[in-house]
Amino acid sequence: MNIETAGLGTLIIILAMAVVTLATRWGGVFVMSFVPIGYRVRQFIHAMSGSVLVALLAPLAVSGDNGARLALLTTAAIMLTLKKPLPAIAGGILVAALFRHLWPMLA
Amino acid sequence: MARKEATLHRLDRTLVWDGFKALLPISLFVTIFGIAFGVAAPQAGLDDGTIMLMSTLVFAGASQFAVLELWEPQIPLFTMMVTVFAINARHLLMGATLYPWLEPLPPAKRYGIMLVASDANWAMATQEFTRGRPGLGVLLGGGIALWCFWVLGTWLGLSVGGAIRDPASLGLDMVMGCFLLAMVVGGEKNLRMLLIWGVAAGASLLAFYYLPDNSHVVVGAIAGGLAGVIWGKRDHEH
């Protein structure tokens, strides 16, 4: 079902997001009060929570411009070396901006 | 020992206030991420009221950034909900790990505290518990701090972002992508996770090119999750 991102539709989307997120905040505690969450379920959830971000990023890296690709590369490199998200994100943005200004033909 | 265990779930005003203060340094960073969200969201076509409402009610950065990525004149509701669920599913694990200390509390308090459960205050609360100190104050007070500064940051971002004419030329269209990537790379890294990510990326790209719009997120997430189960982590793995 598609929802319009205007007027009431927007409100429905946000409420749906809020309810789903709340369900994740409460769900773990709620389920545990009946039965301990099993090992395989934990593994699935753990692997899925990283995978969903990768799944979002992959098309962005493949279909984006070279500025976007360089930005992602920079963020990954800084994150691996410094392990701090803020410089990593700032570095990625800066590289995208610089690259698009200096080499607009290649971007 | 039993006495010590019994006091670990303690929760009073002082502990909550201490927790609030303990998370203040991290809240500064949360403010900056909030600003980034406030700058990125109008680019995706959301109006200011919607953006503030989202940060206030949802209070989960990565999923909010992800929804921006899906934001079109029309959004498939189910895909959007599954995406948000998959990204925030880690909260399920947080709740499960905190359960031993939440169990003695009355349900209203137990679920009330979990309203503000988030990565940073959960990690810090867990640390307190493993050191044998009461951690629920950090969870609640710290969570309130994170929530306040997330909303504040979003608002600041909206105030700043409106002045920017061409976000792409400043690289600001990459805020979201770089944020999500930093979250991925900052997480657990080993050969097993790399393979899981590889499966997720491959499945996502296949779905991106050959399946209906926006299905790639769900397909990639489930493929990665299944890969995690199939290639289970053994306890003796080095």
Side-chain angles (χ1 to χ4, degrees):
Chain A
M1 186 174 65
N2 283 309
I3 295 269
E4 300 240 356
T5 53
L8 192 64
T10 313
L11 195 65
I12 293 174
I13 292 167
I14 297 202
L15 288 180
M17 285 178 75
V19 168
V20 170
T21 307
L22 193 60
T24 61
R25 287 201 163 103
W26 284 354
V29 177
F30 184 74
V31 171
M32 281 290 279
S33 63
F34 295 104
V35 56
I37 293 177
Y39 181 64
R40 289 203 168 258
V41 178
R42 273 170 203 265
Q43 279 192 326
F44 181 79
I45 293 174
H46 185 69
M48 183 180 68
S49 53
S51 296
V52 66
L53 300 180
V54 174
L56 266 166
L57 285 165
L60 204 68
V62 173
S63 64
D65 68 339
N66 281 326
R69 289 193 192 114
L70 268 183
L72 293 175
L73 265 181
T74 309
T75 295
I78 297 178
M79 200 61 207
L80 284 172
T81 48
L82 295 182
K83 303 191 189 334
K84 293 200 175 81
L86 276 186
I89 297 164
I93 293 164
L94 193 69
V95 165
L98 280 177
F99 186 76
R100 285 169 185 163
H101 274 279
L102 295 177
W103 298 283
M105 317 297 272
L106 297 175
Chain B
M1 188 63 203
R3 194 181 142 70
K4 200 178 168 191
E5 284 293 320
T7 60
L8 277 182
H9 67 272
R10 230 164 13 107
L11 184 66
D12 56 38
R13 230 162 259 229
T14 322
L15 284 173
V16 174
W17 176 235
D18 287 346
F20 187 89
K21 286 184 287 185
L23 267 289
L24 277 183
I26 296 172
S27 294
L28 183 71
F29 293 97
V30 171
T31 309
I32 297 174
F33 287 131
I35 292 175
F37 180 71
V39 169
Q43 293 176 42
L46 285 75
D47 65 67
D48 288 12
T50 304
I51 297 164
M52 287 305 291
L53 194 68
M54 194 193 282
S55 277
T56 308
L57 293 183
V58 181
F59 174 49
S63 64
Q64 291 182 225
F65 272 102
V67 168
L68 295 188
E69 182 68 16
L70 300 176
W71 205 270
E72 302 281 337
Q74 290 210 325
I75 291 191
L77 188 63
F78 181 73
T79 304
M80 188 276 296
M81 288 173 79
V82 173
T83 305
V84 170
F85 179 83
I87 296 178
N88 290 330
R90 65 188 193 288
H91 292 140
L92 292 169
L93 299 180
M94 292 181 196
T97 55
L98 290 170
Y99 186 71
W101 298 288
L102 289 167
E103 200 208 344
L105 301 180
K109 266 191 178 176
R110 193 192 288 173
Y111 291 107
I113 294 173
M114 285 307 289
L115 280 177
V116 290
S118 179
D119 302 84
N121 56 336
W122 168 78
M124 234 179 190
T126 309
Q127 215 171 41
E128 290 292 299
F129 285 130
T130 51
R131 286 176 187 161
R133 293 200 293 244
L136 292 182
V138 171
L139 190 67
L140 178 60
I144 293 170
L146 295 171
W147 179 79
C148 289
F149 284 91
W150 174 245
V151 174
L152 173 75
T154 305
W155 178 75
L156 285 174
L158 286 176
S159 325
V160 182
I164 298 165
R165 286 286 161 79
D166 182 7
S169 79
L170 298 173
L172 291 175
D173 58 323
M174 293 309 294
V175 169
M176 184 166 56
C178 291
F179 173 87
L180 295 177
L181 184 63
M183 297 298 108
V184 175
V185 180
E188 185 189 340
K189 287 179 293 290
N190 50 43
L191 187 62
R192 176 172 172 269
M193 279 318 277
L194 267 178
L195 269 153
I196 291 170
W197 292 345
V199 170
S204 163
L205 285 175
L206 284 174
F208 183 71
Y209 288 113
Y210 301 109
L211 292 179
D213 279 358
N214 288 325
S215 63
H216 62 277
V217 184
V218 177
V219 170
I222 292 175
L226 288 177
V229 175
I230 292 165
W231 201 16
K233 182 163 47 180
R234 276 148 292 166
D235 289 330
H236 57 264
E237 196 176 58
H238 38 266

